[in-house]
Amino acid sequence: MKQFDQAAALLKLTASQTAMIKQPRKCVEVTLPIRMDDGTIKTFTGYRVQHNIARGPAKGGVRYHPNVSLDEVKALSFWMTFKCAVANIPMGGGKGGIIVDPQKLSHGELERLSRRYFSELEEMFGPDRDVPAPDVNTNPQIMAWFMDTYSMHKREHLPAVVTGKPLEIGGSKGRVLATSLGLLFATRRAVAANGEKMAGLTVAVQGFGNVGGNAAVLLHQDGCKILAISDQYGAFHNPDGINVPEAMKYAEKNNGLKGFESTKLAKKMADPMELLELKVEILAPCALELQLTKANANKVKARYIAEGANGPCDSDADEIFNKKGIFVIPDILCNAGGVVVSYFEWVQNRMGYYWSVDRINRELEDVMNIAFDAVYETQLQYNCPMRVAAFAVAIKRVSVASEMRGLYA
Ligand code: NAD
């Protein structure tokens, strides 16, 4: 909200304009009774929030986690509105969740819970209403169940109701690498804006999962030297550069980087948080939120921060980075590649024609470059931080769309 308010002030939005776009438009809570394998019935709570639909159907993942709450889902849906707007894809923001630890459910229980969630909220979803996707603890299989449940109810084949589906039933090529490729394109643009080249720049990447692991590989392919990587098992450092393809093979084989120091390709760092303070040119936090705060932001030596994760820097850290002149590529821009390829999946489903991975990546690059340039120009125009500029670009687009549509009353 602080990020939003700063950008809204810059744009001189009126109180009415702000009111139109700040709050979620619809929040629904459902109770989901599920027959467990032992014959008992258990109830779960599910949510779907549509934050804004002025620019198109709501878009945003469904999270399965014991800590899901309506407040969290609302906040995440707010972020989605502005992430879609900054990328300029014709979609609004939404998010959903179920309070559940999916590890405690059998395959059958998980399927029944997923189908019940989708059918309870059937009126909210639809290719032209609200299009969910995977998030924490949800995956292509669950998206397939969502799509099947909806299509069965409607007696039609409707793959565009959900994205992140398996390739066999209308998923898109390029989805796995999309977020990391988007990060690469945005980072390249930032580096070029400063008149520099990627080759030879040093990098530290926090998180070695879908986003961080692939980002490390892509940055390495671009000629960067990856000095440190980390995951939940620790951080690993090599001042001469890590052999990232080998690290990837290791992580795939061992389900993470645990014991990676045994390969002698890098040394384990005593404190994994020190990775964030290494002398590198690019720092890519790609793991968790709130990793950079006033406790460590002053010690950051990187010149670029590429936010692969959502919300890795808090507002104190942001202020410090601005003072230090660090080039922050903010999350809503930097990690938008995932939602952009989700949008491409929706487009392909509606066309009934599927693109090659080359076309996906080419179109993704165009979208990311245009988005980056809009934010960068806004930053120059208002002489403000990149994050505020990203929100300003996005808020303006949402606000103009809302005003043009007017109030139906
Ligand atoms: P993931 O589960 O595949 O990977 C997360 C990684 O972070 C794992 O390697 C894990 O070991 C590591 N990790 C966990 N705790 C850590 C710690 N304390 N220190 C260092 N590493 C730690 O998840 P992901 O899909 O890569 O998502 C990572 C972040 O990117 C999240 O914030 C997510 O919301 C955001 N994001 C993901 C996508 C996407 O397409 N996957 C899109 C946009 C944003």
Side-chain angles (χ1 to χ4, degrees):
M1 284 298 175
K2 200 165 168 185
Q3 296 163 357
F4 176 96
D5 290 340
Q6 272 177 307
L10 207 67
L11 295 169
K12 299 193 171 57
L13 285 201
T14 63
S16 315
Q17 285 170 323
T18 307
M20 288 269 285
I21 61 174
K22 204 166 166 177
Q23 298 304 327
R25 67 174 287 276
K26 195 184 255 188
C27 309
V28 177
E29 175 179 321
V30 284
T31 299
L32 308 166
I34 304 302
R35 193 176 303 282
M36 307 304 280
D37 291 347
D38 66 5
T40 60
I41 290 174
K42 228 174 159 173
T43 57
F44 297 86
T45 304
Y47 304 101
R48 186 71 187 172
V49 172
Q50 292 172 351
H51 178 264
N52 191 287
I53 54 164
R55 304 179 73 254
K59 185 94 200 76
V62 180
R63 175 171 292 198
Y64 287 4
H65 198 276
N67 298 340
V68 162
S69 69
L70 181 56
D71 273 347
E72 181 188 63
V73 178
K74 278 184 183 175
L76 294 168
S77 72
F78 168 93
W79 247 326
M80 287 307 299
T81 295
F82 300 109
K83 194 178 287 191
C84 292
V86 86
N88 211 7
I89 59 174
M91 306 201 102
K95 202 83 187 186
I98 302 179
I99 305 175
V100 61
D101 180 353
Q103 257 95 53
K104 295 199 175 131
L105 299 186
S106 69
H107 189 78
E109 289 164 346
L110 190 65
E111 176 172 359
R112 293 196 287 282
L113 178 65
S114 302
R115 288 186 182 277
R116 184 71 192 224
Y117 172 80
F118 220 77
S119 60
E120 282 294 341
L121 291 165
E122 185 191 321
E123 294 81 9
M124 268 184 110
F125 296 127
D128 289 309
R129 282 190 207 125
D130 183 341
V131 185
D135 193 72
V136 175
N137 291 331
T138 53
N139 55 31
Q141 172 63 78
I142 293 174
M143 300 307 114
W145 291 328
F146 284 170
M147 175 270 208
D148 182 70
T149 303
Y150 191 79
S151 297
M152 288 295 120
H153 279 208
K154 301 285 181 194
R155 299 281 186 262
E156 276 179 75
H157 183 69
L158 292 165
V161 70
V162 52
T163 62
K165 299 178 294 294
L167 268 181
E168 294 78 359
I169 53 164
S172 179
K173 290 187 175 134
R175 178 65 191 87
V176 175
L177 279 190
T179 305
S180 313
L181 254 187
L183 180 150
L184 175 77
F185 296 143
T187 307
R188 274 188 191 160
R189 212 71 173 171
V191 166
N194 275 353
E196 294 187 272
K197 290 210 163 60
M198 294 289 279
L201 294 184
T202 54
V203 182
V205 183
Q206 186 194 41
F208 210 67
N210 179 266
V211 180
N214 289 315
V217 170
L218 293 167
L219 288 163
H220 177 79
Q221 281 170 4
D222 239 26
C224 295
K225 209 190 224 189
I226 315 298
L227 300 193
I229 53 178
S230 72
D231 72 0
Q232 72 204 88
Y233 303 111
F236 303 88
H237 180 222
N238 180 345
D240 298 323
I242 293 175
N243 183 334
V244 182
E246 284 302 317
M248 199 64 172
K249 273 191 219 152
Y250 183 92
E252 274 163 13
K253 198 168 151 211
N254 299 284
N255 229 340
L257 292 169
K258 194 173 186 179
F260 182 58
E261 67 277 19
S262 66
T263 61
K264 308 263 186 271
L265 292 172
K267 286 204 171 120
K268 188 166 183 182
M269 299 174 80
D271 175 3
M273 291 300 276
E274 271 175 31
L275 173 143
L276 303 170
E277 300 163 15
L278 280 176
K279 185 156 174 27
V280 288
E281 267 114 14
I282 303 171
L283 173 63
C286 300
L288 309 168
E289 63 283 341
L290 299 177
Q291 295 301 291
L292 293 152
T293 62
K294 69 172 173 220
N296 58 359
N298 254 321
K299 298 184 200 146
V300 169
K301 295 172 197 73
R303 292 189 291 117
Y304 300 91
I305 297 180
E307 293 187 334
N310 283 318
C313 306
D314 75 359
S315 51
D316 294 327
D318 250 349
E319 263 176 46
I320 295 168
F321 296 152
N322 293 336
K323 279 199 198 118
K324 287 168 73 122
I326 297 176
F327 195 135
V328 176
I329 313 169
D331 47 9
I332 59 168
L333 171 65
C334 194
N335 69 34
V339 77
V340 171
V341 173
S342 271
Y343 160 62
F344 292 163
E345 180 175 336
W346 178 82
V347 171
Q348 292 169 81
N349 292 154
R350 298 169 69 108
M351 290 167 86
Y353 178 77
Y354 289 83
W355 305 351
S356 68
V357 72
D358 286 347
R359 177 168 177 189
I360 301 272
N361 293 347
R362 228 178 24 245
E363 303 243 4
L364 173 63
E365 184 166 11
D366 283 348
V367 172
M368 290 303 298
N369 286 347
I370 292 167
F372 182 93
D373 291 350
V375 174
Y376 189 69
E377 279 158 26
T378 303
Q379 177 236 346
L380 294 178
Q381 183 191 345
Y382 290 102
N383 189 23
C384 65
M386 282 289 279
R387 190 183 313 282
V388 178
F391 269 96
V393 167
I395 289 169
K396 192 164 176 190
R397 287 180 180 151
V398 177
S399 179
V400 168
S402 299
E403 294 234 306
M404 281 180 165
R405 293 177 65 146
L407 265 191
Y408 177 77

